[in-house]
Amino acid sequence: MIDKLNSPQREAVTLPPQHALVLAGAGSGKTRVLTTRMAWLIQTGQVSPLGILAVTFTNKAAREMTARVSSILPIDIRGMWIGTFHGLCNRMLRAHHRDAGLPQAFQILDTADQLAAIKRLLKANGVDDDKYPPREVQRFINGAKEEGQRPGDVEAYDNFRRRMIEIYALYEAQCQREGVVDFPELLLRAYELLSRNEPVRAHYQRRFKHVLVDEFQDTNTLQYKWLRLLAGGGASMFAVGDDDQSIYAFRGANVGNMSDFERDYAHGTVIRLEQNYRSYGHILDAANALISHNNGRLGKNLWTEQGEGEQIRVVEQPTDLSEAQWLVDEVRGLISDGRERSQIAVLYRSNAQSRVIEHALFSAGVAYKVYGGLRFFERQEIKHALAYLRLMANPDDDTSWMRVVNFPPRGIGARTLELLGDQARAFDTSLSSAVARVPGKGGSNLAQFAMMINKLSFETRLLPLPELVEHVIAHSGLMAHYEQDREGADRIENLNELVNAAAAFVIEADMAGLPAGVVVQAPMTGATTVIADAGQDVVLDPMQEGFNGLSPLMAFLSHAALEAGDNQAQAGQDAVQLMTVHAAKGLEFDAVFITGIEEGLFPHENSVSDPSGLEEERRLMYVAITRARERLYFSLAQSRMLHGQTRYAMRSRFLSEVPDVHMKWLTPKQGLSDSEPRWKTSHYAGDTYGRQVAPRAAPVPPKMLASGVTVGAQQFRVGQGVRHARFGEGTIIGLAGTGLDAQAQIQFRDVGAKTLALGVAKLDIVQS
DNA sequence: TCCAGGCCCGTTTTT
DNA sequence: CGGGCCTGGA
């Protein structure tokens, strides 16, 4: 098990029970160390599978971890707590729902449900949603929860925040009344449960001897607090992460947790995995050199025993269109050289860049796959069906009620619903319970809807899950509605797929044990136990309690909320992989294209003004580079269409942070302040292997580039020096628009980057 | 209730 | 430019 490991890997795997921080560089065998560690602890008898808690961020990572542990050790992994933060907290809350102050059948709101609930709340309370936009409110509430703060804990230093806090409190009351829980609430409730309830805390602290955390650099404040509580009874915490791959600060991740952890727990037990098994030398050294420009790193230098390999191929094109065209030609070359399409990845900083590339690939007939679209359980028709199903389980779920009360349309208008809402509020009940209080025609339509929900509940109460789902889809009017819709074919197919998903879910639960909830199964005897409220184990009949004490429907609904499904458009067939750099984290490919490496795009203009933002962009570039095994391309365009206007940008600073020796320019590399157009001709003769590249027509250089943008009597170009009365001297790093609408992005020497309207700002041109 | 057209906005995203 | 959202008129 451990003899195939290198020495730091083996050291990490076989560490005695103590806290440790493993700094695992890209491609250094992180998952292998984590899973082997678990298997080793079990095999050497140091801990039973039940004493291990392993936590990840994504379901995919959790599945992979489970699969790899069970492939190393032929043990029953059913009783092990391997899962996502949210999945494990859900499991804990179901088991101790009473102590946590929740109904056992609490529903989970996904991000969209939560937003809908907030909109409804603001309307009901007459909050001005211009001053308090729902998204802003959502950010505020989730931000507070992720810091572990309830309304009473948030500091109210101005009126705006005071009002926000009031809204937060109202929102909490609404969720509580409806029996629903949003994503951050799952974590916060579980944390509060452990911190306030001594018996429950003692139970879990006694149980878990080893707590292992994947992607530790992505944890937020609350997740770290939760871990500290769980491990507070003497468990060993084994945290694996890479501060250089921290790219989720914008959603609350706190890289600082890593250095805090080292200080508070690891006390110097820091193991560095620096040998990289993925990439060749040029690629790795480029990544090392780039990331060395960041400050405050925990420190790490990747190396490889593989040779230096090929240099990074760099291409600069005049426009985004020609960049895409070049890319398609190059991709076809790679394919005709015998590379698999699925081993070719095209990465970009932002989703908007994909369209031009998709268009070019599509026109050329190259199969491709785009990651990041709508996921299965997020589709409109699926969310509607789930809303009906939720009402079967809990008619007081107002979010679901509102979603389908008039879908398909059944003559219940805004006016009626407003009335219903008023009644519900006046009597402090759910919408469902307030139906009888609404008179008139709208009221009778409402009553009919409520009756239908009741009838459906009754009809389906004894049905197995797949038939239940099928029945609800068929008799709620959903199916009929989409059958009438000329463009409803896809939606019908998805609804049928939902029935299949329910069937698969039941089979999976039978075979692999329990997807969510509280059951713990002893590996040898197969006896099923449920952790009771006071932390005592109660044996249940496994045949009766197949879903952890939850009904199959409830378990399925939790599953749907916690695992929204694949977010890749078309599965199957061998296809070129298109995705954002964020989505590529954790993946690897033989050949990688990093596109749009321009100032303003990568690093993104919204991030360059503050140092920490720029460093995160640099880490993003580091992640992108380290995805490549053999071949890496950098590409950029001098101009591109963005927001309906042509924009001009300079080469990204990241290009100059990679030493020249690692790069080979396939297009001419010239100075930026050159007044000549940088683009001369487009042909480059073959690659380093001498493969001949078919000659093609030279793209036409954009006419505007040489002259730049003209405003009044002044002509502005990218790279030009300018002086501003207040901001001082600077360099134009981006131009967009024409005439009086034209804007320039300027990097000032003293005050940083600013975007100025050229029709307004007074600028002098400085001769360099 | 429904749909068309105007309007606004534009980084990254998992649970 | 293009998508999502809201509003106002039929």
Side-chain angles (χ1 to χ4, degrees), chain A residues 696-715:
Chain A
R696 69 187 73 84
V700 182
K703 292 219 170 47
M704 299 193 58
L705 188 68
S707 51
V709 172
T710 306
V711 181
Q714 287 176 305
Q715 289 193 344

Side-chain angles (χ1 to χ4, degrees), chain A residues 18 274 279 460 708:
Chain A
Q18 66 185 37
E274 297 176 295
S279 313
T460 58

Side-chain angles (χ1 to χ4, degrees), chain A residues 269-346:
Chain A
T269 310
V270 178
I271 296 174
R272 288 180 163 73
L273 306 181
E274 297 176 295
Q275 181 174 1
N276 173 290
Y277 295 94
R278 180 183 297 157
S279 313
Y280 282 95
H282 276 304
I283 295 173
L284 224 46
D285 290 343
N288 282 333
L290 176 93
I291 203 64
S292 72
H293 287 85
N294 273 5
N295 292 312
R297 299 169 56 215
L298 294 176
K300 192 165 34 55
N301 215 36
L302 296 179
W303 58 277
T304 178
E305 280 180 352
Q306 307 187 68
E308 61 177 14
E310 304 171 3
Q311 288 171 297
I312 301 166
R313 291 160 162 78
V314 188
V315 165
E316 180 169 353
Q317 291 283 339
T319 70
D320 49 349
L321 294 173
S322 55
E323 182 194 30
Q325 194 49 55
W326 162 79
L327 183 130
V328 168
D329 292 343
E330 194 66 29
V331 164
R332 291 166 103 175
L334 292 176
I335 293 170
S336 65
D337 283 354
R339 279 183 201 273
E340 277 181 48
R341 271 168 271 260
S342 62
Q343 278 306 319
I344 302 170
V346 179

Side-chain angles (χ1 to χ4, degrees), chain A residues 376-397:
Chain A
F376 182 72
F377 285 110
E378 290 168 354
R379 290 165 197 280
Q380 184 210 101
E381 62 278 17
I382 298 301
K383 294 223 56 155
H384 281 133
L386 290 174
Y388 278 106
L389 291 170
R390 284 177 172 206
L391 290 176
M392 301 299 99
N394 172 15
D396 295 338
D397 179 348

Side-chain angles (χ1 to χ4, degrees), chain A residues 13 65 91 158 332 661 696 711:
Chain A
V13 165
M65 202 178 284
R91 193 169 180 175
D158 59 27
R332 291 166 103 175
V661 289
R696 69 187 73 84
V711 181

Side-chain angles (χ1 to χ4, degrees), chain A residues 181-356:
Chain A
V181 165
D182 58 42
F183 284 135
E185 183 74 19
L186 281 171
L187 298 175
L188 183 52
R189 281 281 172 135
Y191 170 75
E192 288 172 347
L193 171 72
L194 289 175
S195 72
R196 290 174 189 169
N197 190 313
E198 208 279 325
V200 172
R201 180 172 67 245
H203 170 82
Y204 286 106
Q205 288 186 342
R206 224 179 303 121
R207 171 177 172 158
F208 296 123
K209 307 281 192 270
H210 289 272
V211 174
L212 299 96
V213 195
D214 189 20
E215 304 279 15
F216 190 69
Q217 77 284 350
D218 290 338
T219 51
N220 64 33
T221 307
L222 180 56
Q223 285 158 341
Y224 188 33
K225 285 167 80 165
W226 182 76
L227 289 168
R228 293 177 60 148
L229 259 188
L230 269 179
S236 304
M237 240 205 284
F238 190 84
V240 181
D242 181 358
D243 54 325
D244 291 333
Q245 293 189 70
S246 163
I247 56 173
Y248 286 115
F250 72 91
R251 69 175 196 210
N254 176 20
V255 209
N257 285 347
M258 288 196 89
S259 39
D260 286 358
F261 182 83
E262 186 188 358
R263 191 191 58 218
D264 300 341
Y265 285 88
H267 305 301
T269 310
V270 178
I271 296 174
R272 288 180 163 73
L273 306 181
E274 297 176 295
Q275 181 174 1
N276 173 290
Y277 295 94
R278 180 183 297 157
S279 313
Y280 282 95
H282 276 304
I283 295 173
L284 224 46
D285 290 343
N288 282 333
L290 176 93
I291 203 64
S292 72
H293 287 85
N294 273 5
N295 292 312
R297 299 169 56 215
L298 294 176
K300 192 165 34 55
N301 215 36
L302 296 179
W303 58 277
T304 178
E305 280 180 352
Q306 307 187 68
E308 61 177 14
E310 304 171 3
Q311 288 171 297
I312 301 166
R313 291 160 162 78
V314 188
V315 165
E316 180 169 353
Q317 291 283 339
T319 70
D320 49 349
L321 294 173
S322 55
E323 182 194 30
Q325 194 49 55
W326 162 79
L327 183 130
V328 168
D329 292 343
E330 194 66 29
V331 164
R332 291 166 103 175
L334 292 176
I335 293 170
S336 65
D337 283 354
R339 279 183 201 273
E340 277 181 48
R341 271 168 271 260
S342 62
Q343 278 306 319
I344 302 170
V346 179
L347 309 185
Y348 34 81
R349 175 65 180 83
S350 67
N351 288 304
Q353 289 166 254
S354 77
R355 207 147 41 75
V356 176

